[in-house]
Amino acid sequence: MNVRDSLLKAFADAGSNYISGSALAEQLGVSRNAVWKAVKALENDGYTIESVTARGYRLAENNNHLSEQLISAKVNASVLGKQIIVLDEVDSTNNYAKIVSKDMPNGTVIVADKQTGGKGRMGRSFVSPSGKGLYMSIILHPEFSINTAPLITSAAAVATAEAIEALSKADVKIKWVNDLYINGKKIVGILTEASVDMEMRALDIAVIGIGINVRSVKGIFDEELSKRASSIEDETGEIIDRNALCAEVINSLDSYLSKIENRAYLREYRSRELLTGNIITAKVGSETVTGKALGIDRNANLMIETENGIVRSLSSGEANLCRIKE
Ligand code: BTN
């Protein structure tokens, strides 16, 4: 690790405490001048560093710069996040993750400050401007069976909702299957892509892509998008550190994935789900299905009672554009 990265790690470990130039020099095994140069290098990269005479340096709390060191310092997961790659810009972290997946260890996380071709479900796009959101993809080399695959996205939804609530006062709801809402506005989208080993009837690689609108998107989302989508800051007034949020998502998801097969997380999912109990419409292929959403079954499918009294179970793969009927 170079001096700049070691310094960043030292700041991350120190949290809100100041560290003196001489303590840093000793800890890093370099001269005070080298510490000073590394501080300047970090400032050039966009980090705000506070310095107070006789106390030393610390990273300003309102930093909005994504970094591997700042994320890693807060990760305490057993499988996920052992390797974290932070990119300034990429077309899509899911695309990047799929390309590198074979060479990367299980649980590798790809994070980007900006996506130029952020992807949503069903071929839609996910607007991903610089400095505003957390766009991350987690590479899994899953050990669980193919039947467990549909549970991954819903477990990720619960894990992400809990991560946001751990760092803010938000009350996060889930709209089946993978959208998170605050105050009736979409804040998070999740896109899981998987490849299957047909011979073994097992999942080969799964990539969980999570996009969270963190900072204010006022003036950035167009009028149409602003009616449906928003950000944590716009809905709660709170500014969350994207590095801390990324680590929280990793920790929470790690815990849920380790016990996904017992399906206990579904209780949490159901308590947050927005469609349940409402009359909804869903597009299933070219058909529009209308009925009462009865709830989520043990495979994370949406059960719906249609107008002629038939109960159908919709899978996330087939159902699209679920809306509460007005
Ligand atoms: C949706 O709302 O339909 C899903 C949106 C998923 C967006 C995330 S952002 C990180 C990852 N990379 C992508 O291109 N998409 C996912």
Side-chain angles (χ1 to χ4, degrees), residues 164 182 187 212-214 231-238 240:
I164 294 171
I182 300 176
I187 307 291
I212 310 177
N213 302 324
V214 180
S231 70
I232 298 172
E233 182 181 353
D234 291 324
E235 294 310 312
T236 67
E238 292 173 282
I240 299 186

Side-chain angles (χ1 to χ4, degrees), residues 90-96 110 112 115 117-128 134-138 178-180 186 188-193 207-212:
V90 70
D91 61 341
S92 149
T93 54
N94 268 29
N95 287 351
Y96 188 99
I110 315 294
Q115 295 185 117
K119 300 188 295 180
R121 287 181 71 228
M122 310 284 172
R124 290 188 284 262
S125 61
F126 191 82
V127 179
S128 316
L134 178 62
Y135 317 114
M136 61 191 286
S137 297
I138 299 107
N178 62 347
D179 292 341
L180 301 194
K186 176 168 165 174
V188 178
I190 302 174
L191 173 68
T192 304
E193 300 184 84
V207 169
I208 310 174
I210 304 173
I212 310 177

Side-chain angles (χ1 to χ4, degrees), residues 271-283:
S271 73
R272 295 175 184 270
E273 210 286 312
L274 283 173
L275 297 178
T276 305
N278 288 290
I279 304 295
I280 64 152
T281 59
K283 293 264 292 167

